[in-house]
């Protein structure tokens, strides 16, 4: 999960940027681990609602005192709505998938999103993609096929959930790029949180369960706080280093997901799954490094 942030100062502290992005992806992995734990107890809709509610309240406390209600003005409101729906689809698919798929494998499949962005940018944005980048996309798909190979425990219809999440997140990133010319990152992210909180608030009464104890209530608060904290740290990271430099470090989230999956849920990917995950990471890194070398000023 990433926040599209515009750097506001020179990229003169790369080490600080790298440390911040590593903290951010640890919080994102922690968010996913909490989602997996809570979704085994509570309905998926309720878990996603809590995530967006806490996130949006924290965003409101941060942005409204600084920018007022001007932060809600969008030059492309229908595009903002479409972007928000893509993200809520990503959240619902991924959280539902975590009920059936181990954390590391689900995270790895979701990291198909950058490769899907590359593929979808051709028909939707008219961008040109080189042969090497297409090979990276195909390689990423091969990696997923190795992870979910026939005969493995993951070869079930449930694997379609993280795949659906990756597709939704890829579309979300494309719409983020389209909106960058019209709205600020603050507007885009605050509106997305507000729209999705409103949608989930309308749905949650049909799925409501009162938290069973204080511990689980606090974990729900931690869920939204981890998501918001990760986004804020990522925003700060982009102030100190270029997105092209930081992008490869995002794949460390799969490593954190694997560690948390082992420590919290006692799951360790088998050798074939590790191979598939490694191929997905390698192909994603190749795309990220290729985009970094092609971007001016990085």
């Amino acid at each position: 999960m990433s926040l599209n942030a515009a750097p506001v100062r020179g990229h003169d502290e790369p080490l600080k940027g790298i440390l911040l992005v590593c903290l951010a992806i640890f919080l994102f992995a922690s968010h996913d681990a909490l989602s997996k734990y809570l979704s085994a107890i509570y309905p998926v809709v309720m878990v996603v609602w809590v995530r967006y509610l806490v996130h949006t309240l924290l965003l409101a406390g941060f942005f409204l005192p600084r920018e007022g209600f001007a932060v809600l003005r969008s030059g492309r409101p229908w595009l903002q709505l479409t972007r928000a729906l893509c993200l809520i689809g990503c959240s619902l698919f991924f959280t539902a998938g975590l009920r059936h798929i181990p954390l590391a494998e689900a995270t790895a499949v979701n990291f198909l999103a950058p490769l899907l962005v590359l593929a979808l940018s051709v028909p939707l944005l008219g961008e040109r993609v080189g042969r090497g980048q297409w090979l990276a996309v195909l390689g990423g798909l091969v990696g997923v096929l190795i992870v979910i190979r026939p005969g493995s425990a993951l070869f079930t219809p449930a694997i379609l959930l993280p795949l659906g999440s990756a597709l939704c997140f890829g579309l979300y990133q494309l719409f983020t790029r389209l909106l960058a010319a019209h709205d600020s990152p603050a507007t885009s992210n605050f509106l997305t949180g507000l729209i999705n909180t409103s949608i989930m608030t309308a749905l949650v009464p049909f799925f409501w369960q009162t938290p069973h104890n204080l511990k689980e209530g606090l974990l729900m608060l931690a869920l939204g706080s981890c998501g918001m904290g990760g986004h804020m740290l990522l925003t700060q990271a982009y102030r100190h280093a270029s997105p092209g430099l930081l992008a490869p470090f995002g794949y460390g989230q799969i490593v954190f997901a694997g560690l948390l999956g082992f420590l919290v849920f006692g799951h360790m990917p088998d050798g074939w799954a590790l191979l598939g995950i490694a191929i997905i990471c390698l192909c994603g890194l190749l795309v990220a490094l290729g985009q970094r070398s092609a971007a001016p000023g990085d």
Side-chain angles (χ1 to χ4, degrees), residues 86 89-90 93-94 109-110 159-170:
C86 288
C90 172
F93 278 130
F94 189 71
V109 172
N110 203 46
I159 198 64
L160 296 175
L161 294 168
L163 285 171
S165 172
L167 178 59
C168 287
F169 193 51

Side-chain angles (χ1 to χ4, degrees), residues 193-272:
L194 194 60
I195 291 168
N196 288 349
T197 300
S198 300
I199 293 172
M200 298 311 298
T201 299
L203 293 175
V204 79
F206 300 100
F207 300 89
W208 177 259
Q209 287 186 22
T210 302
H212 302 151
N213 50 54
L214 179 61
K215 171 192 169 184
E216 291 172 5
L218 292 175
L219 289 177
M220 289 182 181
L221 293 176
L223 175 69
S225 300
C226 282
M228 177 60 182
H231 284 305
M232 297 302 293
L233 286 171
L234 201 59
T235 303
Q236 292 301 314
Y238 286 154
R239 295 172 182 263
H240 301 287
S242 69
L245 173 65
L246 297 179
F249 291 92
Y251 285 84
Q253 185 176 339
I254 301 177
V255 176
F256 285 132
L259 290 173
L260 289 172
F262 176 72
L263 294 174
V264 179
F265 304 104
H267 174 79
M268 175 63 70
D270 63 22
W272 283 106

Side-chain angles (χ1 to χ4, degrees), residues 17-37:
I18 291 169
L19 290 174
L20 287 170
V21 83
C22 288
L23 287 173
I25 62 174
F26 174 74
L27 287 180
F28 289 143
S30 300
H31 167 278
D32 293 342
L34 286 168
S35 294
K36 183 174 178 64
Y37 178 82

Side-chain angles (χ1 to χ4, degrees), residues 81-93:
L81 175 61
T82 305
R83 176 181 183 267
L85 292 175
C86 288
L87 188 59
I88 204 170
C90 172
S91 300
L92 289 169
F93 278 130

Side-chain angles (χ1 to χ4, degrees), residues 3-293:
L3 188 65
N4 187 35
V8 295
R9 53 181 290 192
H11 299 145
D12 55 355
E13 298 176 289
L15 180 58
K16 189 170 184 180
I18 291 169
L19 290 174
L20 287 170
V21 83
C22 288
L23 287 173
I25 62 174
F26 174 74
L27 287 180
F28 289 143
S30 300
H31 167 278
D32 293 342
L34 286 168
S35 294
K36 183 174 178 64
Y37 178 82
L38 291 169
S39 65
I41 305 171
Y42 298 95
V44 169
V45 168
M46 185 173 169
V47 174
V48 174
W49 170 73
V50 169
R51 176 254 188 273
Y52 280 112
L53 178 65
V54 175
H55 182 95
T56 303
L57 289 175
L58 291 172
L59 276 178
F62 183 79
F63 285 122
L64 289 181
R66 298 173 58 187
E67 303 188 32
F69 289 102
V71 74
L72 298 174
R73 298 194 189 105
S74 170
R76 293 290 187 275
W78 288 108
L79 198 56
Q80 288 286 3
L81 175 61
T82 305
R83 176 181 183 267
L85 292 175
C86 288
L87 188 59
I88 204 170
C90 172
S91 300
L92 289 169
F93 278 130
F94 189 71
T95 306
L98 287 174
R99 302 183 76 170
H100 310 283
I101 308 295
L103 187 59
E105 286 89 332
T107 302
V109 172
N110 203 46
F111 264 81
L112 271 180
L115 303 175
L116 294 175
V117 168
L118 185 69
L120 292 170
S121 66
V122 176
L124 296 182
L125 301 181
E127 295 183 357
R128 299 182 63 181
V129 175
R131 182 180 301 174
Q133 292 173 307
W134 279 120
L135 289 174
V137 172
L138 292 175
L141 294 175
V142 169
V144 170
L145 291 175
I146 292 174
V147 171
I148 63 174
R149 65 202 178 278
S152 76
L154 299 183
F155 193 65
T156 69
I159 198 64
L160 296 175
L161 294 168
L163 285 171
S165 172
L167 178 59
C168 287
F169 193 51
L171 290 169
Y172 165 81
Q173 291 181 333
L174 285 175
F175 287 124
T176 298
R177 285 164 60 175
L178 288 171
L179 281 163
H182 306 284
D183 294 337
S184 70
T187 295
S188 290
N189 288 286
F190 191 48
L191 281 175
T192 294
L194 194 60
I195 291 168
N196 288 349
T197 300
S198 300
I199 293 172
M200 298 311 298
T201 299
L203 293 175
V204 79
F206 300 100
F207 300 89
W208 177 259
Q209 287 186 22
T210 302
H212 302 151
N213 50 54
L214 179 61
K215 171 192 169 184
E216 291 172 5
L218 292 175
L219 289 177
M220 289 182 181
L221 293 176
L223 175 69
S225 300
C226 282
M228 177 60 182
H231 284 305
M232 297 302 293
L233 286 171
L234 201 59
T235 303
Q236 292 301 314
Y238 286 154
R239 295 172 182 263
H240 301 287
S242 69
L245 173 65
L246 297 179
F249 291 92
Y251 285 84
Q253 185 176 339
I254 301 177
V255 176
F256 285 132
L259 290 173
L260 289 172
F262 176 72
L263 294 174
V264 179
F265 304 104
H267 174 79
M268 175 63 70
D270 63 22
W272 283 106
L274 289 173
L275 174 62
I277 290 170
I279 291 173
I280 294 169
C281 290
L282 177 61
C283 293
L285 287 170
L286 290 174
V287 169
L289 292 171
Q291 292 173 337
R292 177 188 171 191
S293 62

